């Protein structure tokens, strides 16, 4: 169950396709309607644990009832056993038999005749050089394909009553962009990331305080600059109180304003044009606006044409400190202290 659960990366980058993984417990000799019609069934080192009577039931259930498109069966090759040092008898105490290549081939061809399949023989674990033909593979494999492939007609088991012999132990739906909650979460994350990225590029070029500025360039997904993007106007008027009135021009050329701490308006049209993933996730500009309407993490303008982001004035003291760090003084100071400790240690000697 732990191994079947999604990884963190599956949540960070959800697939476009839906995936549900279910873990059942049951016997291969029992029929269960939920296991019918799958593309692939694998039986890896299993059949040799069955009694001869159960091998017949295995064939009937897997090939006659489940009727998958492809079945892969692997089982030990008893002719390879002399090459395994110290082996006496079967390879495992629970094995009921271990087939030779001829015996495995005979069973496989009978299955194909009875249930309308064809088989290709292969294996894993080669014999030493020059002995492959004599001993074959350590484990022999039969790859069965239903005649006609996925669209072939196989009527075995059709019309049978529903049976539920297996117990469902675990079921998990992997994160998918077809799920509205997951789609909204990923879209909001992308919108906020690119809005902050664009805001940083615009505010780095901000003119003197108190002026009105038109942003005519925006940074694209690959870091290049696109001129002529429909970026809105934003202006500020500092009041005597701690709040500020912020105004901007929307895509229709109308003025809007709100009383907030200083903010930057990032038009949705700019996000749409600059961010391919936002386009892919939302499908259209109108869908993008609709998906963001009731999202508490995103603040939109009054006409819902732009994302509003808080803008914090750079702190001069922080800038001075950053300059000091960038100058290498901190590293030099650390080195000088280290040198002093080295000299003191030598003096003690």
């Amino acid at each position: 169950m732990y191994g079947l659960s999604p990884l963190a990366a599956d949540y960070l980058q959800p697939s476009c396709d839906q995936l549900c993984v279910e873990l059942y417990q049951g016997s291969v000799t029992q029929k269960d309607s939920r296991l019918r019609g799958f593309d692939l069934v694998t039986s890896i080192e299993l059949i040799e644990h069955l009694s001869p009577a159960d091998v017949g039931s295995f064939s009937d259930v897997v090939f006659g009832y489940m009727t998958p498109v492809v079945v892969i069966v692997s089982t030990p090759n008893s002719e390879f056993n002399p090459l395994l040092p110290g082996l006496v008898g079967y390879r495992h105490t629970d094995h009921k038999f271990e087939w030779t290549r001829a015996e495995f081939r005979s069973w496989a061809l009978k299955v194909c005749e009875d249930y309308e399949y064809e088989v290709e023989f292969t294996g894993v674990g080669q014999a030493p050089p020059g002995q492959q033909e004599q001993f074959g593979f350590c484990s022999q494999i039969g790859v069965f394909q239903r005649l006609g492939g996925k669209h072939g007609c196989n009527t075995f088991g059709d019309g049978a009553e529903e049976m539920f012999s297996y117990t469902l132990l675990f079921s998990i739906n992997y994160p998918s962009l077809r799920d509205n909650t997951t789609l909204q979460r990923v879209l909001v994350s992308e919108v906020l990331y690119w809005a902050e990225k664009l805001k940083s590029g615009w505010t780095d070029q901000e003119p003197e305080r108190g002026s009105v500025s038109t942003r005519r360039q925006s940074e694209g997904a690959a870091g290049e600059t696109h001129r002529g993007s429909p970026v809105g106007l934003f202006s500020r008027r500092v009041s005597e109180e701690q709040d500020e009135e912020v105004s901007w021009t929307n895509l229709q050329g109308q003025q809007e304003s709100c009383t907030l701490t200083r903010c930057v308006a990032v038009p949705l049209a700019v996000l749409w044009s600059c961010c391919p993933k936002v386009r892919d996730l939302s499908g259209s500009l109108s869908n993008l606006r609709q998906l963001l309407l009731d999202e508490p993490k995103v603040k939109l303008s009054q006409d819902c044409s732009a994302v509003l982001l808080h803008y914090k004035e750079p702190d001069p003291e922080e800038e001075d400190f950053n300059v000091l760090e960038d100058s290498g003084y901190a590293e030099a100071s650390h080195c000088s202290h280290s040198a002093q400790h080295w000299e003191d240690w030598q003096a003690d000697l």
Side-chain angles (χ1 to χ4, degrees), residues 36-38 61-69 117 146 154 156-157:
R36 298 196 61 210
F38 277 84
V61 169
V62 174
F63 296 94
Y65 182 78
M66 296 172 63
T67 64
V69 178
Y117 279 79
R146 195 172 69 197
N154 193 323
F156 290 105

Side-chain angles (χ1 to χ4, degrees), residues 34-55:
R34 294 166 293 185
L35 303 183
R36 298 196 61 210
F38 277 84
D39 292 336
L40 173 66
V41 166
T42 63
S43 172
I44 308 302
E45 308 296 288
L46 178 146
I47 196 171
E48 65 274 6
H49 293 268
L50 303 177
S51 67
D54 285 341
V55 171

Side-chain angles (χ1 to χ4, degrees), residues 263-301:
C263 68
V264 175
V266 182
L268 295 181
V270 175
L271 288 168
W272 175 263
S273 63
C274 293
C275 314
K277 190 167 184 179
V278 170
R279 291 199 301 272
D280 294 340
L281 291 171
S282 56
S284 68
L285 186 57
S286 60
N287 284 346
L288 174 61
R289 184 181 295 108
Q290 190 67 32
L291 288 168
L292 298 178
L293 277 179
D294 299 323
E295 176 52 51
K297 295 181 180 179
V298 179
K299 183 169 184 60
L300 297 177
S301 60

Side-chain angles (χ1 to χ4, degrees), residues 304-317:
C304 302
S305 66
V307 176
L308 300 182
L309 298 175
H310 171 67
Y311 177 66
K312 181 182 178 182
E313 290 283 357
D315 189 339
E317 293 184 2

